[in-house]
Amino acid sequence: MPRIGLKKQPTTATWRRDVRQRLRAWYRKHARDLSWRRMSDPYAIWVSEIMLQQTQVATVERYFAKFMAKFPTITALAAASEQHVLRLWEGLGYYRRARQLHAAAKQIVAEHGGRFPTDADALRLLPGIGRYTAGAILSIAYDLPAPILEANTVRLLCRLIAFRGDPASSEGQALLWRTAEELLPRRGSGDFNQALMELGSLLCTPRNPACEKCPLQLLCPTRRSGLQDSIPAPRRKPAAEEVQQAAVVIVRGGRVLLRKCGPKERWAGLWDFPRFVISQSNGQRQNRSETIELIDSVQQLVGVTINRPKHLATLRHSVTRFRITLDCFVAQSEAAQKRRTAAASNNGLGELRWLKPQELDNYPLSTTGRKLAKLWRQHSATRASATS
């Protein structure tokens, strides 16, 4: 990229003072009444910030209240099982956040007596806490002058200084962190940081920003130049990759088989119906080779032989850069598999459980896993009523 692309609008002390004054006045009037904003407890602020990563505020509002009711203190979170934490997190996505939150809670209790460190370096030694999360906790909970930089503030700051370079580059990151630090007021840094995020979220949006409502419009060189569509520089998204998968609800004596996902798998720590990549499927129009592929794949994954898998439904969803078509099947297992499956965790097949339908509610599943559980229950109820 040419060096000219890295130029930015120079700032002055007067300009920075005006930004602070106008932004804080706007925030006092327009800030959303969010539950975590009524708290100064660093634990609650930490939980909310982790949940808000790559997740919409409306979604976090629902999860935050339930999570805090179940784990009101960091000690309660540390004492919980990872499975319990993941069950509460179910549907929020990016489950690594939940596992790191739980691990960090244990570390804070073990190494800091259950009290949050007030030092940025100590905070960043905890799992899942980077520079942004540390800055949010320190500024909002303790009113310490710690800058923040996340998606909304990156976009807002790029426009405020008319930065045309790549905000994700090392030079771009250094410049934006420096700008965030220079803008911080001596007091009230927590409210100021939240105001930056709020303005970026509500008005300074990626497309069609509401510049006419923005309190900083007269101070914004990007607005004056009409470059809102090109600043910040658009990122190239990788092409989505189509993936064909199958999941099989394996039934035996009224119970179904769940498998715990391994530490290197997409939904590590969660439970799922046996799932695997398959060649292109015809869904309901199964041919013999597809049936054989399903039977062989199940055998390799969980050591169970199934009989005549029947198509149940097709689910489509996206995970990061993958667009997944998931063909769901239901099949009976051979009774002779009982002993081998019970000992599967000792045979390199992972942890397996045969569960009653009502027990599925106690296990953390992926979103599609939960949908499949519901579909199977509906299917079973329909069959039962048809034969009664």
Side-chain angles (χ1 to χ4, degrees):
M1 179 177 294
R3 294 294 300 179
I4 190 172
L6 296 176
K7 289 185 178 180
K8 72 175 187 69
Q9 181 78 18
T11 65
T12 65
T14 299
W15 179 87
R16 293 192 292 272
R17 181 199 62 207
D18 289 346
V19 167
R20 297 183 195 110
Q21 290 178 349
R22 295 183 186 210
L23 183 59
R24 288 192 286 192
W26 174 86
Y27 183 68
R28 286 193 293 269
K29 186 176 181 180
H30 296 283
R32 287 171 290 184
D33 182 21
L34 305 176
S35 52
W36 50 87
R37 287 182 177 163
R38 305 182 209 123
M39 306 175 182
S40 58
D41 176 13
Y43 167 65
I45 292 166
W46 171 48
V47 171
S48 70
E49 289 297 336
I50 297 298
M51 286 188 171
L52 285 164
Q53 292 171 7
Q54 298 178 293
T55 306
Q56 295 182 345
V57 167
T59 302
V60 172
E61 276 273 59
R62 300 195 304 271
Y63 279 85
F64 179 79
K66 293 179 182 178
F67 197 90
M68 293 302 295
K70 184 62 66 173
F71 308 122
T73 65
I74 197 166
T75 304
L77 176 59
S81 69
E82 183 181 275
Q83 292 291 284
H84 195 183
V85 175
L86 287 172
R87 183 64 181 92
L88 272 234
W89 200 274
E90 186 181 303
L92 197 57
Y94 300 99
Y95 294 95
R96 184 182 180 188
R97 295 179 298 174
R99 296 194 301 272
Q100 290 180 328
L101 191 78
H102 186 227
K106 287 178 172 291
Q107 191 170 328
I108 291 171
V109 168
E111 299 178 7
H112 302 279
R115 299 178 64 86
F116 254 89
T118 57
D119 175 74
D121 291 336
L123 275 176
R124 292 175 66 180
L125 291 175
L126 297 170
I129 296 186
R131 186 175 180 182
Y132 158 69
T133 306
I137 295 169
L138 294 175
S139 63
I140 298 171
Y142 300 115
D143 195 24
L144 295 174
I148 62 167
L149 203 60
E150 45 76 62
N152 289 313
T153 52
V154 164
R155 183 172 58 255
L156 175 59
L157 294 178
C158 280
R159 288 171 175 165
L160 276 179
I161 62 175
F163 175 58
R164 301 191 189 191
D166 180 4
S169 68
S170 57
E171 291 176 282
Q173 284 287 293
L175 172 62
L176 292 171
W177 276 110
R178 186 164 63 250
T179 302
E181 192 167 14
E182 290 171 350
L183 280 172
L184 276 179
R186 293 182 179 179
R187 291 185 296 275
S189 60
D191 283 345
F192 181 78
N193 280 338
Q194 292 187 90
L196 281 174
M197 292 188 285
E198 193 80 333
L199 187 64
S201 176
L202 298 181
L203 301 184
C204 197
T205 52
R207 290 173 293 279
N208 303 315
C211 297
E212 68 283 355
K213 298 179 181 179
C214 180
L216 307 180
Q217 60 177 293
L218 298 179
L219 303 172
C220 181
T222 298
R223 157 74 167 173
R224 288 197 302 271
S225 303
L227 297 174
Q228 299 94 317
D229 291 337
S230 57
I231 297 179
R235 297 185 64 182
R236 291 185 179 180
K237 292 184 178 180
E241 182 178 338
E242 300 287 345
V243 177
Q244 187 81 35
Q245 293 183 341
V248 185
V249 180
I250 305 173
V251 185
R252 187 196 70 203
R255 295 174 182 257
V256 293
L257 181 64
L258 282 191
R259 171 183 174 272
K260 190 175 184 181
C261 299
K264 295 184 179 180
E265 295 183 63
R266 177 172 288 133
W267 290 294
L270 274 68
W271 293 79
D272 198 8
F273 298 98
R275 180 192 304 235
F276 36 81
V277 175
I278 58 171
S279 57
Q280 191 66 31
S281 171
N282 291 319
Q284 295 183 18
R285 302 188 306 278
Q286 286 173 252
N287 56 40
R288 186 170 182 275
S289 64
E290 289 173 341
T291 299
I292 292 174
E293 182 181 7
L294 286 172
I295 293 173
D296 289 347
S297 296
V298 168
Q299 177 66 44
Q300 291 175 18
L301 184 64
V302 293
V304 174
T305 300
I306 58 174
N307 294 320
R308 299 186 298 276
K310 304 296 183 184
H311 189 267
L312 183 62
T314 297
L315 303 176
R316 292 179 175 85
H317 64 112
S318 297
V319 179
T320 59
R321 61 183 180 86
F322 300 99
R323 283 203 297 258
I324 301 172
T325 298
L326 180 68
D327 280 312
C328 306
F329 299 84
V330 60
Q332 292 287 329
S333 78
E334 293 186 356
Q337 301 296 315
K338 182 175 181 181
R339 181 174 297 177
R340 181 165 55 177
T341 302
S345 59
N346 297 321
N347 294 331
L349 297 175
E351 192 172 350
L352 306 176
R353 299 275 174 87
W354 289 100
L355 302 175
K356 296 177 181 178
Q358 62 269 25
E359 291 178 313
L360 293 172
D361 293 333
N362 300 324
Y363 285 72
L365 306 178
S366 67
T367 299
T368 49
R370 188 62 63 189
K371 287 180 180 178
L372 182 50
K374 183 177 180 180
L375 286 170
W376 173 69
R377 284 177 170 176
Q378 292 171 346
H379 170 78
S380 300
T382 301
R383 289 190 62 187
S385 61
T387 56
S388 60

